[in-house]
Amino acid sequence: SGSSEAGAVRIPAATATLLTGLVLFAFARRVAGYWAGVLALALWTISPLTLDFGRDATLEIFLIFFSTLALYLGWRWAESGSWWFAGFAGVAVGLATASKLVGILFLPAILLVGLLKIGLSRRLVFQGMLVGLATVATVLATYAPAWSEAPSAIQYMFEMQSQHNVEGHRESLNGEVYKFPPWWAHLWWQWELYGTLASLSLAVAVVISLLRRRALELYLLLAALVPFLVLSFYVQVKLHPYFGAWQAPLILLLAVVAGKLAQQGIPRGIFAVLLLAPFVYLGTQTVQAVSQIQPSTNVAIAQHLKDTGHDRGTILDQGGMLRDHLPEARVLDKPEDAQGEEIEAVILNSDSYRRRHEAIRNYLAADRDEFELSYTISKKIRGRFGFKFSEDDIEVYTRNPDG
């Protein structure tokens, strides 16, 4: 059925999220001990990024996993000088880049930690080249199934990214819609994810790491800082899913800092507990929010359309989510895709700033006499990052038999 297929596509994403937590555990255990590893895994598990979006079938989930794996393998390379780890680190960066181009921004941190740990030498130069070559080779290898069309596909990808950067993309910040969001957009989304207290905990961990100036802390800081700076100041388009790319190194940094503080006596142990307390509260709130999600709205709308005999024709739905519940209907999210076919029903909600939503509203306004408002339901909408909720009125317009 449609719903079972929709659930199946989430399995790879959920698996990647789980593996990310295990990589964080292995990384933290190696550099700060077993309990720091447990802490890193716990922080990742209770993060709203994980609980709310870790099972979503998006490429950003795989970007996070492969970049986290690359950082771990990069550290193993830097501390051992192993050619094998150099090659595997490059492969992981390549897979992260193949998931999303942002993945390449983790390469500078890996090369820097190699310099800090191995030192400037012929070994560093040649192994650094291996990391870079393995990255490029892996990215190209992902195009192997369409090898003959790979050059044109890569060219199209870069052209599309450039055009997107010029044209902008609508995003909402604090109720305001921006085509080119300001540089602090990612900071805003991060604060919206964690809240004030947890954000302060991360900031304190960053300050402590800067004061220590050890290779590990500088490595994790750079891994988070380079993507943030590039996406905030160089890339004109700000897309909220991308800020999740650097959350794993930040969570690892907090776990390492708190773990080491806890080993340095009672006063610093208490300070470590205070750093972690906001995340415990945040995790509790997120679990409660996820448990309150009401998945029955689309089911109720689908049932109404079945009861009124409008479940077999062409339906305009802003989110396109009715496809899983109305297998015999043709569910579209753009009016032009109807290609002249008569539309049986139109579903609208208050999220109208997206271009395709505006097109549906314009279609309904032009043919308003042919439709009647037959059903309204309030839907509790999750905030973009978890436990903040708002109410949206979902309106169902069905074709008037007299229209």
Side-chain angles (χ1 to χ4, degrees), residues 3 21 28 110 133 185 189-190 196 223 242 247 259 274 291 297 304 309 311 335 348 375 377 386:
S3 57
I110 293 174
L133 290 173
W189 290 323
Q190 181 154 329
T196 301
Y242 285 158
Q247 298 314 303
L274 293 176
S291 66
T297 304
H304 167 74
D311 60 318
L348 297 175
Y375 187 68
I377 184 172

Side-chain angles (χ1 to χ4, degrees), residues 56-173:
D56 287 359
T58 63
L59 289 175
E60 285 78 14
I61 300 299
F62 299 96
L63 164 66
I64 293 172
F65 166 61
F66 287 122
S67 61
T68 304
L69 179 61
L71 292 175
Y72 173 62
L73 294 172
W75 177 260
R76 294 296 304 271
W77 161 60
E79 66 178 4
S80 67
S82 165
W83 289 90
W84 284 105
F85 279 121
F88 287 138
V91 170
V93 174
L95 291 172
T97 306
S99 301
K100 287 287 184 177
L101 285 177
V102 178
I104 196 65
L105 299 179
F106 292 92
L107 183 59
I110 293 174
L111 296 177
L112 177 65
V113 78
L115 176 62
L116 293 176
K117 299 288 286 185
I118 299 174
L120 188 58
S121 62
R122 292 179 62 185
R123 174 181 287 269
L124 172 68
V125 172
F126 286 112
Q127 289 188 347
M129 291 176 60
L130 174 61
V131 174
L133 290 173
T135 298
V136 174
T138 302
V139 173
L140 293 178
T142 61
Y143 287 89
W147 190 253
S148 61
E149 301 179 2
S152 59
I154 295 173
Q155 180 181 0
Y156 171 76
M157 176 181 64
F158 281 106
E159 290 176 352
M160 183 182 68
Q161 294 289 342
S162 299
Q163 183 178 2
H164 198 192
N165 199 43
V166 171
E167 294 180 352
H169 182 88
R170 292 175 181 269
E171 286 284 1
S172 178
L173 284 171

Side-chain angles (χ1 to χ4, degrees), residues 137-403:
T138 302
V139 173
L140 293 178
T142 61
Y143 287 89
W147 190 253
S148 61
E149 301 179 2
S152 59
I154 295 173
Q155 180 181 0
Y156 171 76
M157 176 181 64
F158 281 106
E159 290 176 352
M160 183 182 68
Q161 294 289 342
S162 299
Q163 183 178 2
H164 198 192
N165 199 43
V166 171
E167 294 180 352
H169 182 88
R170 292 175 181 269
E171 286 284 1
S172 178
L173 284 171
N174 196 27
E176 295 289 333
V177 177
Y178 297 87
K179 195 173 183 180
F180 294 96
W183 69 268
W184 45 265
H186 293 295
L187 292 177
W188 174 270
W189 290 323
Q190 181 154 329
W191 172 83
E192 192 177 18
L193 172 70
Y194 291 120
T196 301
L197 292 179
S199 297
L200 287 175
S201 292
L202 287 174
V204 170
V206 168
V207 171
I208 292 175
S209 300
L210 288 173
L211 293 175
R212 286 179 171 176
R213 290 185 292 182
R214 297 173 181 172
L216 173 64
E217 284 87 346
L218 292 177
Y219 176 44
L220 296 177
L221 279 175
L222 190 65
L225 190 61
V226 171
F228 166 73
L229 291 177
V230 172
L231 294 179
S232 296
F233 295 98
Y234 177 74
V235 178
Q236 298 299 314
V237 174
K238 310 293 189 297
L239 301 175
H240 71 268
Y242 285 158
F243 97 101
W246 56 84
Q247 298 314 303
L250 281 181
I251 286 175
L252 180 58
L253 183 66
L254 177 62
V256 169
V257 168
K260 290 184 176 180
L261 285 174
Q263 299 171 5
Q264 298 174 1
I266 295 178
R268 295 190 177 185
I270 295 175
F271 184 61
V273 171
L274 293 176
L275 280 179
L276 297 173
F279 278 85
V280 175
Y281 173 76
L282 182 65
T284 302
Q285 292 292 103
T286 306
V287 169
Q288 293 177 354
V290 171
S291 66
Q292 294 171 3
I293 296 171
Q294 301 176 1
S296 59
T297 304
N298 291 322
V299 174
I301 294 174
Q303 188 61 49
H304 167 74
L305 293 175
K306 291 177 181 178
D307 293 341
T308 56
H310 297 282
D311 60 318
R312 296 175 182 269
T314 301
I315 298 172
L316 280 180
D317 176 22
Q318 287 182 345
M321 299 302 294
L322 289 178
R323 292 187 181 94
D324 295 337
H325 307 286
L326 295 175
E328 298 184 18
R330 187 184 180 205
V331 181
L332 308 174
D333 61 0
K334 292 183 290 187
E336 56 266 28
D337 290 344
Q339 299 179 345
E341 292 186 15
E342 186 175 79
I343 292 174
E344 285 291 325
V346 179
I347 291 87
L348 297 175
N349 61 39
S350 61
D351 182 19
S352 62
Y353 68 87
R354 296 184 185 276
R355 188 174 302 173
R356 65 177 181 272
H357 296 173
E358 184 178 354
I360 294 178
R361 289 185 180 277
N362 291 339
Y363 168 83
L364 183 63
D367 298 314
R368 185 64 183 85
D369 293 340
E370 299 182 12
F371 292 90
E372 61 180 359
L373 177 61
S374 61
Y375 187 68
T376 302
I377 184 172
S378 293
K379 179 179 181 181
K380 184 172 282 190
I381 305 297
R382 286 179 290 172
R384 179 178 281 127
F385 305 118
F387 52 86
K388 297 179 181 179
F389 288 88
S390 61
E391 293 284 345
D392 272 7
D393 287 331
I394 310 298
E395 300 172 340
V396 179
Y397 293 85
T398 50
R399 182 164 291 278
N400 191 335
D402 300 328

